[in-house]
C-alpha cells in the first residue's frame, strides 16, 4: 500500500516509457519543478532563494485549456511566447512524450534528460546550484 492507497511502484511501471505518467489517488498529474538552480534564461527558473516549487497539474486541465496533442497551433504559439520572452524550452524533448523526462528539465538546452528517479536517497547538492552525483550529469 502506498501513501495514496494505490498499489504502484515507479520502477515496476517503466518510468522512462512514453506510456508512464505520475498519478496520485487515481488522478493523472503532470509534475513541474521550478528552481533557482536553473539560470534566468531557463523556462524553469525561479529567483534566488532556498526553495523549489513543485507544481502538480491535473492532466484533464490541458484539455480544459485547449492544450493537447491535437492543437498543434496552440503548442507552437506557447513555444513562441516562451522563446520571445528569452526562456525557450526544449521542444524536441517535450515531443518525445516521455513524461518522466519533462518534470525536471536539463539545465542546458540540448542537455540529456534528468533521470531524477535514479537519485540516491542521500542526494544533496554540495554547494548552491551544483550537483555531486551523475543524476545531474550534464550540469557543470
Amino acid at each position: 500500500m502506498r501513501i495514496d492507497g494505490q498499489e504502484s511502484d515507479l520502477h515496476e511501471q517503466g518510468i522512462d516509457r512514453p506510456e508512464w505518467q505520475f498519478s496520485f489517488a487515481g488522478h493523472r498529474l503532470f509534475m513541474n519543478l521550478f528552481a533557482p538552480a536553473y539560470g534566468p534564461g531557463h523556462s524553469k527558473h525561479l529567483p534566488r532563494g532556498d526553495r523549489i516549487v513543485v507544481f502538480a497539474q491535473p492532466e484533464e486541465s490541458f484539455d480544459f485549456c485547449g492544450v493537447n496533442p491535437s492543437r498543434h497551433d496552440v503548442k507552437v504559439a506557447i513555444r513562441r511566447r516562451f522563446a520571445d520572452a528569452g526562456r525557450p524550452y526544449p521542444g524536441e524533448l517535450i515531443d518525445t512524450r516521455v513524461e518522466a523526462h519533462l518534470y525536471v528539465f536539463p539545465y542546458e538546452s540540448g542537455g540529456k534528460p534528468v533521470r531524477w528517479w535514479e537519485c540516491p536517497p542521500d542526494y544533496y547538492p554540495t554547494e548552491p546550484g551544483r550537483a555531486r552525483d551523475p543524476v545531474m550529469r550534464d550540469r557543470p
Side-chain angles (χ1 to χ4, degrees):
M1 174 93 79
R2 304 288 184 240
I3 194 167
D4 66 353
Q6 306 294 311
E7 293 291 332
S8 65
D9 181 51
L10 294 177
H11 300 289
E12 290 175 9
Q13 296 177 15
I15 191 170
D16 54 356
R17 296 178 324 151
E19 301 83 28
W20 181 86
Q21 187 170 25
F22 180 82
S23 65
F24 185 81
H27 295 279
R28 291 176 59 149
L29 300 169
F30 181 78
M31 306 300 289
N32 250 316
L33 176 104
F34 301 89
Y38 291 112
H42 198 287
S43 62
K44 304 285 188 169
H45 173 72
L46 277 182
R48 280 274 179 229
D50 293 332
R51 69 192 177 291
I52 63 169
V53 172
V54 179
F55 179 74
Q57 184 173 5
E59 186 65 22
E60 60 267 15
S61 70
F62 290 100
D63 286 331
F64 179 77
C65 295
V67 179
N68 59 49
S70 68
R71 297 290 313 271
H72 180 75
D73 57 326
V74 173
K75 177 176 76 171
V76 169
I78 291 170
R79 291 178 183 184
R80 186 178 321 113
R81 287 173 50 194
F82 270 86
D84 290 350
R87 292 184 175 194
Y89 62 84
E92 303 81 26
L93 181 63
I94 292 167
D95 290 341
T96 68
R97 299 313 310 158
V98 177
E99 292 288 320
H101 294 173
L102 307 182
Y103 299 162
V104 181
F105 279 173
Y107 285 102
E108 304 294 331
S109 178
K112 296 178 185 174
V114 177
R115 300 179 65 82
W116 53 268
W117 61 93
E118 294 177 350
C119 192
D122 64 343
Y123 171 79
Y124 65 93
T126 56
E127 59 185 83
R130 299 185 74 82
R132 70 171 176 84
D133 69 87
V135 172
M136 301 290 212
R137 58 184 156 267
D138 68 332
R139 177 74 172 156

